[in-house]
Structure formats: C-alpha cells, structure tokens
Amino acid sequence: MSTSGAVATAADAARIERARALVAAVPDPEIPVITLADLGILRDVRLEEGRICVVLTPTYVGCPATEAIREEVLRVLADDGLADARVEVTLSPPWTTDWISEAGRERLRAYGIAPPHTMADGTAAGEAPREQPIRLVRAQPAGVACPRCGSHDTERLAAFGSTPCKALHRCRACREPFDHFKPY
Amino acid sequence: MSVHLECLLRLADSALVHSQRLSEWCGHGPILEEDIALSNIALDTLGQARLLYQHAAQLEGAGRDEDALAYFRDEREFRNFTLLELPNGAGPRDDYAVTIARLFLQSALMLHAWDALRASSDAQLAAIAAKSLKETRYHVDHAGQWLVRLGDGTDESHARAQAALDRLWPYTHEAFEDDEIDREAARIGLAPLWSTLRPAWLATIDAVLSEATLRRPVDTPFRSGGKSGAHSEYLGYLLAEMQVIARAYPGARW
C-alpha cells in the first residue's frame, strides 16, 4: 500500500507540475508579453479528487480580461487532456502589482509599458503588502522612467488608460507617449 | 429578507447604479481622457457590484444569480442610496460638475466604508472590501483633483461645482442615518455603523473643498430613503434602460 501510495503521489506531483507549467505560460490577453505567472495572479495549482484545480486571483475587479483568462486556462488544460480541470477564483489576499515578477517587469518595459513602482516596503513576494497610507491628492509619482529612452523627465497625461491597470504618460525627453502600469 | 442579504444588496445596488450613471458618459465625455477615466471607474464599480451580487445570490440560495439580481428586480426592490440614481446633470443637459461632485462624495464615503468592511465578520465581504479599497483610492484621487480644478478654476466652473455640491449634499445624509438594518449589521460585526464613518468622511471632504475654494453646504433635515427602497423618480427610468435587453431576451447570451 505504502509503495503504491508513494507512486501515486509522485505521479500526482508530476501532473500538478505539468499543469502548473502550462497555466503559468498562458499570456495575459491584454498585455500578451507577460504570462499569468509573471503577473502574479496564478495562486495555486492542486489536485482535488483527481481533478486539476487552478486558483487564480483577479487584478482589477471589473477587468474584462478575467473571463478571457479563465477560458484560456481551461482550453490549454483541455488540449493537454485535462478536460475536467476547473478554475477557482480567490480574492484574498488581494492581488498587488508587487507580485509582478522581475522578468515580467523587464518584459513590460521592453514592450513599451513602464512597470509599476513597488508599493510595499520590505514585504516578500506572495505576502500581503503593507497598506499605503490613504492620501487624497497624491503628488505625481516622481518621474516614472520612460520605457523607451529611460529619462525620468516624464509627466502623467491621464490617470486612466486603455485598460483598468494603466495610466497614460508622456516623455518630455523623447516626446513619446507611453503607458504606465499603475501600482495597485 | 435577512439583514445579511439587505446589507449586501445596499452595497451592490449602490455600486451598480453608480456604475450605470458613470457609464452614461461613455462616448460623451468632455475630453477623450475623461471619457476613458469615467468608463474605467464605471467598470471598477461594476466589478464590485458583480462580486457583491454573486456573493448575495449564493447566500440567498434561492436559485437567483447575479443577473437575476441586477436585471429582474424592480425599483422598490433596489437598495441603493438615492444620491447615486440622480441624473448626471441638474437640468436637461448632463453636467460634468455634478458627475465629478457625486463621484467625489461617494468615493470618499466608500474609501472609509471599504476600509472598515475589511474587518467584516463575513470573510467574502471582507475580501471584496480589501480589493475595492485599492481601486476606490484612485477614484477619490481622480474626482478630488477634478473638483479642485473646477472649484479653483474659472468663475463659471466654480459656480457650477458649488451648485453641484449644493444640489447633491442633502442626499448624502441617508448613508449616515442608521436604521434597524444598519444597527443589526453592526451588532453582528457584518458592517460598521455607518453614522460612525461621518467624521472621517467629512475630514476627507473638507480637505479637498478647502483646496478647491468650495464651501461645504449647510446640513438640512431632508432625508432620502433609497436604501429602504423609497427612491426618487429617476431610478425607474435608469432601470428601464439598464434592464430592457435582459427582460426582452431573458437568458440571452453573447
């Protein structure tokens, strides 16, 4: 019994890892250069009574990409023979842009989107961030670096952009407009 | 209906009705950036409404889903604050000052409400509050900055911003006037007692109003009753427009 149990466990672990690798590589539908793993919204992959269960957390609560992401995750798993996989959505702990990986930040920059600055101080990835003090009229974030030329001589044009997570900025050095992934 | 469900529907309906009013600017914003900003904020509040309706539907366990709660209840069953159903303008034309003033008053309220609701005895409501709080900070910030620009702008923008505040202010009292449901929700740890949020809310309001050179309107005895289902004449029209497709084609998918 114990031997077959150990075999089953190893096989299960391999299944979970395979499913996790597939799901981790799914691109964000709005910003396809980064993956779900880069974005930090893939919270867990586990086996429940023989079925793969993928735990995701939403970015913005109203973001229309959430549904597309869920469907894509199920499609990728079904293509790999896991048609009975399911997706569970958890809200807690709430997603924060601090969970975007270093590789993800670099890919955002290369894509022309200034990555978010960190909100939390000294909290490790995966931990709930320390809350920002609630301030009303925030000072403009000091010169978000232009993803094209690197200059900090930039200004915010609009606090809301083409997706819920982005704001529109302009670089005064190279004159190019660019998106900034808002700290959340 | 249980106090728990009432409490969730007040939050959900307020979020949905406010979202509907904000989304009326989609394609009609005064400038493109504001069109996008208000649509984004409408999307955030719609997202909040959906989470709350899903949770309420599950709690109710009567076979209704989020769409049934949003599209197949009538005016008297809605529990949103009256403030949020008022039209975007004071007259026949939409007025951006009214929209911004309302967005500021309501977001500032929810800033403190979501903050307190993170400690709710209902774990899912607490989780929704923790997420919503993050987005609400951006809403307060945005509306506050615009209120300063309008109030401390031209004579015309100042006058219209002040008129908007004067018009909306009487409707803000409703939120802080605790009724039996509010008191019971607070007693069981579900929600804060809303009256206790008013000092912090006023501090948030006053800080921006003083920078905007606007005056806080005088409190009057008028109390609206939207959270108990007694609405203004405007909600029926809003719901008619919002619900007509779902009711004409029940169960339609796209």
Side-chain angles (χ1 to χ4, degrees):
Chain A
M1 282 301 281
S2 64
T3 314
S4 72
V7 169
T9 307
D12 286 351
R15 275 183 77 196
I16 291 171
E17 278 321 303
R18 183 176 169 86
R20 188 196 304 277
L22 284 169
V23 174
V26 169
D28 178 86
E30 294 282 356
I31 312 170
V33 288
I34 57 171
T35 64
L36 302 192
D38 286 334
L39 201 50
I41 64 170
L42 176 57
R43 306 305 296 157
D44 196 18
V45 179
R46 58 172 184 252
L47 264 184
E48 275 178 3
E49 293 166 3
R51 291 171 67 191
I52 289 287
C53 174
V54 175
V55 183
L56 298 174
T57 193
T59 54
Y60 282 70
V61 293
C63 186
T66 310
E67 274 307 303
I69 290 171
R70 171 201 284 268
E71 283 168 23
E72 185 61 11
V73 164
L74 291 175
R75 192 191 64 77
V76 161
L77 291 174
D79 283 354
D80 199 53
L82 296 167
D84 64 346
R86 65 182 198 93
V87 170
E88 184 183 300
V89 174
T90 180
L91 297 179
S92 189
W95 177 78
T96 159
T97 43
D98 288 1
W99 294 350
I100 299 178
S101 69
E102 272 312 311
R105 281 164 203 273
E106 209 30 66
R107 278 196 277 275
L108 281 175
R109 205 188 325 268
Y111 189 59
I113 300 172
H117 43 275
T118 15
M119 291 178 54
D121 300 309
T123 40
E127 276 180 45
R130 251 179 255 162
E131 288 301 326
Q132 257 191 338
I134 293 169
R135 286 188 49 201
L136 260 179
V137 184
R138 268 193 301 267
Q140 297 265 334
V144 173
C146 170
R148 296 178 198 279
C149 74
S151 170
H152 286 266
D153 186 15
T154 60
E155 62 181 335
R156 191 177 75 179
L157 295 179
F160 295 84
S162 53
T163 64
C165 56
K166 289 182 291 193
L168 188 61
H169 286 241
R170 170 167 59 196
C171 177
R172 281 187 286 245
C174 71
R175 318 298 294 171
E176 284 287 329
F178 64 90
D179 275 335
H180 171 48
F181 207 116
K182 288 187 274 192
Y184 178 97
Chain B
M1 202 173 357
S2 74
V3 165
H4 198 159
L5 195 57
E6 282 276 355
C7 183
L8 290 174
L9 286 179
R10 285 179 178 189
L11 291 166
D13 290 343
S14 288
L16 179 65
V17 169
H18 196 197
S19 175
Q20 179 72 11
R21 281 294 183 217
L22 287 167
S23 68
E24 287 174 11
W25 284 102
C26 187
H28 303 274
I31 52 172
L32 181 60
E33 286 80 358
E34 273 320 285
D35 197 303
I36 292 169
L38 292 178
S39 299
N40 263 296
I41 295 171
L43 199 57
D44 287 344
T45 43
L46 182 64
Q48 294 167 7
R50 289 192 59 192
L51 288 176
L52 290 160
Y53 283 132
Q54 287 162 10
H55 184 40
Q58 196 171 24
L59 182 87
E60 186 187 45
R64 290 201 284 188
D65 62 4
E66 54 175 318
D67 285 346
L69 290 173
Y71 295 127
F72 293 90
R73 281 182 308 140
D74 292 329
E75 183 191 349
R76 290 303 294 257
E77 295 169 274
F78 268 73
R79 294 291 182 262
N80 59 284
F81 298 141
T82 305
L83 172 72
L84 305 168
E85 73 208 31
L86 301 178
N88 282 325
R93 292 188 54 194
D94 284 352
D95 190 335
Y96 191 61
V98 173
T99 299
I100 286 296
R102 169 168 52 202
L103 180 60
F104 178 65
L105 296 170
Q106 175 66 11
S107 307
L109 170 63
M110 293 315 295
L111 186 73
H112 299 292
W114 291 131
D115 191 29
L117 283 164
R118 289 188 300 166
S120 172
S121 55
D122 173 345
Q124 180 68 3
L125 177 56
I128 294 170
K131 276 207 77 70
S132 302
L133 176 61
K134 285 167 171 261
E135 298 169 14
T136 303
R137 285 184 184 135
Y138 279 106
H139 305 168
V140 179
D141 191 45
H142 187 72
Q145 290 195 28
W146 266 105
L147 205 55
V148 170
R149 250 176 272 179
L150 295 176
D152 197 17
T154 65
D155 288 346
E156 171 78 8
S157 70
H158 177 90
R160 282 163 69 168
Q162 188 63 57
L165 280 176
D166 292 345
R167 171 174 158 74
L168 298 174
W169 193 260
Y171 294 92
T172 62
H173 293 290
E174 177 185 346
F176 307 109
E177 189 92 346
D178 301 325
D179 63 8
E180 270 175 48
I181 288 160
D182 292 322
R183 279 189 290 272
E184 180 59 15
R187 197 188 62 76
I188 59 178
L190 197 61
L193 201 56
W194 287 76
S195 59
T196 63
L197 301 176
R198 194 160 191 261
W201 177 76
L202 282 175
T204 303
I205 300 294
D206 286 346
V208 167
L209 290 193
S210 96
E211 200 181 335
T213 71
L214 293 165
R215 136 184 80 66
R216 189 217 289 180
V218 177
D219 294 332
T220 49
F222 170 78
R223 295 292 179 269
S224 51
K227 68 180 178 184
S228 314
H231 292 280
S232 71
E233 64 270 37
Y234 302 110
L235 183 65
Y237 294 100
L238 180 148
L239 293 182
E241 186 177 36
M242 187 182 79
Q243 297 177 331
V244 64
I245 297 288
R247 290 186 182 215
Y249 304 95
R253 305 193 67 82
W254 58 85

